[in-house]
Amino acid sequence: MFDNKYRAILADTEESRDIHYSLRYQVYCLEKGFEPAHNFKDELEKDKYDDNSVHFLIQEKSNGNWVGTVRLVIVEPQNLPILEYTEIEEEKLDSKNRKVAELSRLSILRDYRRTGDKVGKSGLGNEPEILLGLIRATNAYCKEAGISNWVFLCRRAIRRIVSKVGIRIDIIGPPCEHRGTRYPFLGRLNSGFVGISEVSPETQEMMSQKSAYSRYSDLYGYDYEQAAA
């Protein structure tokens, strides 16, 4: 299970956000070639949406290695990054809540993708296990922030992965060509997780854990001199 091997961490300091950007550089620039490495001389992959984002990290407990990350871009629906590539059915968003989070820059290092470890009866490997840890952390953060919807642009394979453990996500727009064929998805945080208990009790146990993530500043301290500069 995820909690035996990994921990999810909210990157709430400049140091931890640089770790996040570094992981993105390794995956998006060096491993997958989604972004040209020469555009990031400091080896930190960043863009214009990061200032309005919350960043998460996954750390391997046994050795302290940083192995995965994702961000939540929190903006008004009309400003979602996804709209640069495709349309979405905005009427499907919660009309009572104008805050929407877009999941993006999901990055898992090559050595932790598609390995042979299992997650209970689901038969999933390391990559989905780390993905579930990121989903749990971002879900918890959104609930705390009063956000009931998230959207993301990804391959249909992601839906197959999460549906294996009972998580429901819906396509809310036409596909587009962006690093391959991608679809816009919507996850409803108040209803999208109700099927987990029937499909994967072990995943339900994981998702029900009280502590979904820790803050980097609590684990490693906070640079108050830097914060005051």
Side-chain angles (χ1 to χ4, degrees):
M1 289 296 291
F2 175 86
D3 293 302
N4 294 331
K5 294 183 287 185
Y6 307 105
R7 61 169 63 92
I9 297 175
L10 174 63
D12 63 344
T13 67
E14 184 175 349
E15 177 183 24
S16 55
R17 284 188 290 272
D18 281 350
I19 295 170
H20 169 96
Y21 301 140
S22 176
L23 279 169
R24 280 167 42 177
Y25 177 82
Q26 292 179 65
V27 175
Y28 269 63
C29 299
L30 301 184
E31 293 183 5
K32 295 188 174 183
F34 288 160
E35 299 287 346
H38 62 79
N39 285 352
F40 307 96
K41 302 301 183 183
D42 56 1
E43 300 186 355
L44 303 175
E45 194 274 311
K46 296 184 282 187
D47 65 22
K48 62 184 179 181
Y49 296 108
D50 285 307
D51 288 342
N52 292 315
S53 299
V54 178
H55 306 85
F56 286 87
L57 297 161
I58 297 295
Q59 185 180 47
E60 191 170 17
K61 289 182 175 180
S62 63
N63 53 28
N65 288 343
W66 303 102
V67 303
T69 188
V70 76
R71 72 176 176 188
L72 285 169
V73 183
I74 302 174
V75 293
E76 297 294 317
Q78 66 271 19
N79 297 323
L80 289 167
I82 199 172
L83 296 177
E84 292 187 17
Y85 307 105
T86 188
E87 300 175 354
I88 63 172
E89 301 170 34
E90 191 174 320
E91 66 274 10
K92 291 188 177 181
L93 301 179
D94 183 356
S95 60
K96 297 179 181 179
N97 182 350
R98 300 301 293 173
K99 292 177 71 176
V100 181
E102 180 172 335
L103 275 75
S104 64
R105 288 305 195 264
L106 172 66
S107 306
I108 299 173
L109 293 179
R110 180 186 290 119
D111 288 347
Y112 293 84
R113 298 198 295 265
R114 297 185 179 88
T115 58
D117 291 348
K118 304 296 182 182
V119 181
K121 297 178 181 178
S122 64
L124 302 178
N126 263 4
E127 181 178 16
E129 187 174 3
I130 293 171
L131 174 62
L132 289 176
L134 289 168
I135 289 175
R136 183 181 67 176
T138 51
N139 180 30
Y141 182 91
C142 285
K143 287 182 176 179
E144 295 163 3
I147 298 169
S148 59
N149 296 294
W150 59 28
V151 299
F152 47 99
L153 190 67
C154 66
R155 297 169 289 116
R156 294 183 70 172
I158 293 293
R159 181 161 68 171
R160 292 196 296 270
I161 291 172
V162 298
S163 67
K164 286 183 179 180
V165 295
I167 298 174
R168 176 180 174 178
I169 57 176
D170 299 309
I171 295 175
I172 57 166
C176 64
E177 285 300 315
H178 177 59
R179 301 165 181 155
T181 302
R182 299 286 195 261
Y183 290 79
F185 284 95
L186 169 69
R188 295 180 177 87
L189 304 188
N190 60 345
S191 60
F193 294 81
V194 295
I196 296 177
S197 59
E198 296 181 3
V199 177
S200 178
E202 291 194 43
T203 302
Q204 177 64 28
E205 181 182 354
M206 172 200 165
M207 291 290 184
S208 301
Q209 295 297 313
K210 186 175 181 180
S211 178
Y213 65 87
S214 302
R215 293 179 178 271
Y216 186 92
S217 59
D218 290 336
L219 293 173
Y220 295 102
Y222 191 78
D223 190 338
Y224 291 98
E225 291 184 2
Q226 184 184 69

